[in-house]
Amino acid sequence: MLEPNLVTLDEMKSYLRLERDDIEEDADITSFILAAEDYLKRATGFKFEDEQPDTAKLIVKLLTSHWYDHRSIVSSSHVAVNKVDFTVRALLAQLTYTHVEGEEE
């Protein structure tokens, strides 16, 4: 299995307020992190291999958290979906227009 590049499993479990020694959902969380990183890279066109901007990490954490909390295809709360969608789009726009690949923050 691939290893996450921007956010580690331990960082994500801390963000989700999960116990680090509880490994039951590690595979799911890792797959959410990898999907969020792939989404970020495709949405911005950046690879994030050498640098890891805080905004990029936050986007991965927000997406992963959202997917972790809303695992079904249907949500009972459109408000939560819309807030995450707006936040992620705003951060993606900022990152896309301000980040220069190969330049440290």
Side-chain angles (χ1 to χ4, degrees):
M1 178 182 260
L2 292 173
E3 290 293 321
N5 182 41
L6 291 169
V7 177
T8 68
L9 178 61
D10 282 343
E11 288 173 319
M12 196 64 228
K13 287 174 87 169
S14 177
Y15 186 81
L16 293 170
R17 298 184 181 119
L18 300 173
E19 296 293 326
R20 290 176 193 235
D21 57 348
D22 181 6
I23 61 169
E24 186 175 317
E25 299 184 274
D26 284 4
D28 286 340
I29 296 168
T30 300
S31 70
F32 294 147
I33 296 168
L34 291 170
E37 288 183 356
D38 185 59
Y39 176 85
L40 174 66
K41 291 173 185 179
R42 290 173 187 268
T44 63
F46 300 127
K47 295 180 182 174
F48 302 108
E49 291 175 348
D50 297 324
E51 67 280 337
Q52 301 175 341
D54 291 337
T55 305
K57 289 182 176 194
L58 180 58
I59 291 169
V60 171
K61 288 178 181 178
L62 288 169
L63 286 172
T64 301
S65 176
H66 178 71
W67 293 336
Y68 178 81
D69 290 338
H70 301 92
R71 296 181 211 191
S72 67
I73 196 104
V74 178
S75 175
S76 60
S77 171
H78 296 291
V79 175
V81 172
N82 289 338
K83 283 183 180 178
V84 168
D85 184 50
F86 174 78
T87 302
V88 168
R89 286 181 190 269
L91 290 170
L92 279 172
Q94 179 198 26
L95 190 61
T96 300
Y97 295 114
T98 61
H99 180 71
V100 177
E101 191 86 289
E103 186 176 285
E104 292 293 319
E105 270 193 3

